[in-house]
Amino acid sequence: MFNRSFLRLTSLALAASMLVMTGCEQQISESVIAENESEIVVTTAPETEAVEYVAALGINSNVLPSIAGVTVDDAAEDLAPVNLTVGVINSVVRDLQQRLMDLGYMDPDEPTTYYGDATSLAVQYFQRQAGMAMDGICGVETWDAIMSDSAPHYALKLGFQGNDVTHAQYRLYNLGYLYNASDINGTYDEKTMEAVKKLQEMNGLTVDGIYGTSTYNLLYSDEVKANIVALGEQSELVKKYQQILINLGYLEGEADGNFGLGTQNAIKAFQSRNDQVVDGYLGPDTRAALDDPNAIPFAMRLGEQSDSVKELQEYLVKYGYLDSDKATGYFGELTKTAVANFQSKNGLTADGLAGAKTISLLHSGNVKKNTKQSSTSQSSTGNTGNTAATVPANTGTSAPVSIPQTSYVGNGGATVSGSAANLIAIASSKIGCPYVWGAKGPNSFDCSGFVYWCLNQAGVGVSYMTSSGWRNPGRFKQVSYNELQAGDIIVVSGHVGIVAGGGTIIDASSSNGRVVHRNLGAWWANHFICGWRIFS
């Protein structure tokens, strides 16, 4: 579409057409050839009608003509700019985004016709990789390079600079491969390259010091091996943080300085509640969070599944707050309601979180029983409120979505309320916020950061996971594409979002460059991996 051959052929065709235009019929006179036969004289007949001018076309022209195969999207501009810049809406942008995603410069998403900041940044990263000027503008040269069969895939190499380098360095620092906070400088220098080599060596990857797709995926996976205080170590440092974990209710027993499985699980539980990457390591960020006097103490909460949850539920059954068949080990809406009722009846703050005071009181036996019918029998939905979700008008580039303003109707026509409605309301409040790779809120997000922030704001205890991590989060009920309903999490290849019902989704979209509310079309069905039922 935007190659040099096309431009040359089109220019020649236009030049030829100018020779036969009505009102400006050009004639080549009787050939007057100089003796040396090197000079051709061209004369033009007098103008008899108004002249029709044709726009010049060349490498530096502003527009290309609308030709079949170049602009085919009715919603896009009639003219395809030679230079694609931020704000352009054109069908060729969809092809560009798809190619950038294939090469690893953009997070996978449904491609759009909008050339936004995220697309511009991806182009800059490609230009950096290809040794071109990093202006974020996709002109002819950049287009040809991106579409070339030999186009390079995304990777960080020695000397590269950018926010993506900073993100990588920050994670390397927290895993102990970079030793000082000052090493996080946004430049892929010798120290960073050596840290990547050490990471690759300890984790069985090819040791080349190049930060490519496999290294990136490892860095944020549950399987990554750290180079810091971890399982099997014994030290006074471990003992210090064991005591803090005990004080916060994450660990039982005495602090002995031995970093065992119990300590690792306690650290993971702490990280999931304190906005940390859940890896079970005592990295710099986790130690700082533990030292923080405002660290969030342990409490079982919505979305958890464990033997401890089942034990809690059995106590709630014993005292009449939960039906016996609901003691499944999963902390769902019914369990949250039962905990809140217990707390209210026994003089505790009724927040539905099973913290140290709630658990201690349950274990004491000195409690007030629920003499009425259990809360789960009173409410089949387990709603914690009666407010229905209202989703604002669509702000993406996809087809507009019509949503009733007085209630929210999900798939199947049922009104969505309670926790699912709360999640959707929280998600919809962030529509229009910019897409920023690696951001977890509150005012900018990437796709997994958006889901993480919304769920935690809705009271669902989840740790931060990349879209790959959402393929197997270790809990929640898995559902098929046809079973999706409002409040579910949808996972597609390299992307994740929140189902809003009515055949729509709210997600942080790299291709739109912001959080959008859009239709679940064929792209989502074709790239679907799994869905997760959060509220059941």
Side-chain angles (χ1 to χ4, degrees):
M1 294 180 199
F2 280 86
N3 53 57
R4 295 186 183 85
S5 297
F6 172 79
L7 286 171
R8 293 192 189 101
L9 289 173
T10 307
S11 299
L12 290 171
L14 285 173
S17 67
M18 291 177 67
L19 295 175
V20 295
M21 287 183 60
T22 302
C24 189
E25 183 179 12
Q26 294 184 329
Q27 302 173 341
I28 301 179
S29 68
E30 295 283 340
S31 297
V32 182
I33 305 175
E35 290 183 0
N36 59 9
E37 298 186 355
S38 62
E39 182 179 3
I40 297 176
V41 178
V42 178
T43 62
T44 303
E47 295 181 1
T48 58
E49 297 181 13
V51 176
E52 296 181 11
Y53 292 100
V54 177
L57 181 66
I59 291 295
N60 297 316
S61 301
N62 292 324
V63 297
L64 289 173
S66 179
I67 298 175
V70 177
T71 55
V72 295
D73 187 352
D74 291 338
E77 296 173 344
D78 291 333
L79 300 175
V82 169
N83 293 323
L84 298 175
T85 58
V86 173
V88 166
I89 298 176
N90 196 277
S91 59
V92 297
V93 177
R94 183 185 291 113
D95 298 328
L96 174 65
Q97 289 180 345
Q98 185 60 63
R99 181 62 172 160
L100 289 168
M101 292 173 194
D102 294 341
L103 294 172
Y105 295 94
M106 283 187 77
D107 283 343
D109 191 2
E110 180 180 15
T112 71
T113 59
Y114 174 65
Y115 196 99
D117 290 330
T119 305
S120 176
L121 183 61
V123 169
Q124 287 184 54
Y125 287 158
F126 175 85
Q127 291 169 330
R128 179 184 63 187
Q129 198 80 23
M132 307 169 74
M134 291 176 60
D135 57 12
I137 298 172
C138 186
V140 174
E141 183 181 3
T142 299
W143 176 278
D144 287 348
I146 291 173
M147 296 299 173
S148 169
D149 291 340
S150 59
H153 283 70
Y154 174 84
L156 294 179
K157 299 179 181 179
L158 196 64
F160 281 8
Q161 294 180 322
N163 288 333
D164 55 338
V165 178
T166 302
H167 284 298
Q169 290 174 327
Y170 187 77
R171 184 68 177 135
L172 288 165
Y173 171 67
N174 274 285
L175 288 172
Y177 292 99
L178 285 175
Y179 304 120
N180 303 302
S182 58
D183 294 333
I184 306 172
N185 55 25
T187 299
Y188 201 87
D189 51 20
E190 292 283 356
K191 283 186 178 180
T192 304
M193 187 173 71
E194 290 304 315
V196 169
K197 285 182 177 179
K198 183 69 174 177
L199 170 79
Q200 292 169 332
E201 178 185 0
M202 289 188 64
N203 288 272
L205 297 181
T206 300
V207 181
D208 56 13
I210 297 174
Y211 182 88
T213 302
S214 58
T215 302
Y216 165 78
N217 289 336
L218 170 69
L219 203 60
Y220 289 92
S221 74
D222 291 336
E223 290 77 28
V224 64
K225 295 178 182 178
N227 191 35
I228 51 176
V229 183
L231 194 65
E233 183 164 334
Q234 187 165 8
S235 67
E236 287 299 313
L237 183 68
V238 173
K239 187 175 182 178
K240 170 190 172 182
Y241 288 106
Q242 282 178 328
Q243 188 59 56
I244 295 175
L245 289 166
I246 291 170
N247 294 343
L248 290 171
Y250 290 94
L251 191 63
E252 296 180 350
E254 295 184 3
D256 59 6
N258 182 30
F259 200 129
L261 189 60
T263 300
Q264 184 186 61
N265 289 336
I267 290 171
K268 286 184 176 180
F270 172 83
Q271 290 170 327
S272 72
R273 290 162 174 80
N274 286 269
D275 198 25
Q276 303 290 309
V277 174
V278 180
D279 54 24
Y281 297 121
L282 267 177
D285 270 11
T286 298
R287 295 198 300 270
L290 282 164
D291 288 330
D292 190 335
N294 296 316
I296 299 172
F298 173 79
M300 283 180 275
R301 55 186 181 170
L302 196 67
E304 294 191 31
Q305 187 168 9
S306 67
D307 291 338
S308 297
V309 172
K310 189 170 184 179
E311 182 183 6
L312 166 71
Q313 291 170 330
E314 288 170 349
Y315 274 101
L316 292 168
V317 170
K318 178 180 178 181
Y319 296 121
Y321 291 92
L322 190 68
D323 291 337
S324 59
D325 62 338
K326 306 302 180 186
T328 62
Y330 175 72
F331 199 120
E333 292 179 89
L334 301 178
T335 301
K336 180 179 178 180
T337 301
V339 170
N341 288 340
F342 170 82
Q343 292 167 327
S344 177
K345 199 171 185 69
N346 286 272
L348 299 176
T349 302
D351 56 11
L353 302 175
K357 289 183 179 179
T358 299
I359 295 172
S360 178
L361 186 56
L362 277 168
H363 288 181
S364 73
N366 185 26
V367 303
K368 294 180 180 179
K369 295 183 177 181
N370 186 22
T371 55
K372 299 180 181 179
Q373 195 177 20
S374 72
S375 61
T376 58
S377 297
Q378 297 171 36
S379 173
S380 60
T381 61
N383 291 347
T384 56
N386 297 316
T387 304
T390 300
V391 182
N394 176 37
T395 58
T397 59
S398 304
V401 179
S402 177
I403 300 295
Q405 296 301 303
T406 56
S407 64
Y408 183 74
V409 180
N411 292 345
T415 299
V416 180
S417 59
S419 295
N422 185 38
L423 174 63
I424 296 169
I426 290 168
S428 64
S429 72
K430 293 301 176 180
I431 290 174
C433 286
Y435 175 96
V436 177
W437 186 90
K440 297 182 286 186
N443 296 314
S444 60
F445 307 89
D446 66 7
C447 67
S448 53
F450 178 68
V451 171
Y452 163 79
W453 185 87
C454 290
L455 285 174
N456 278 279
Q457 292 299 307
V460 180
V462 296
S463 57
Y464 176 77
M465 295 178 285
T466 63
S467 55
S468 297
W470 270 104
R471 296 187 180 199
N472 184 24
R475 51 184 167 155
F476 307 129
K477 177 185 177 182
Q478 188 168 346
V479 295
S480 68
Y481 186 83
N482 291 330
E483 294 173 318
L484 290 172
Q485 66 184 36
D488 289 348
I489 304 302
I490 181 173
V491 185
V492 294
S493 301
H495 193 64
V496 63
I498 299 171
V499 178
T504 67
I505 184 174
I506 303 174
D507 66 311
S509 166
S510 61
S511 57
N512 281 288
R514 57 194 182 278
V515 176
V516 294
H517 179 216
R518 51 180 165 168
N519 290 315
L520 276 171
W523 184 90
W524 297 86
N526 293 336
H527 292 81
F528 179 78
I529 294 176
C530 60
W532 299 103
R533 179 69 38 80
I534 307 298
F535 307 104
S536 57

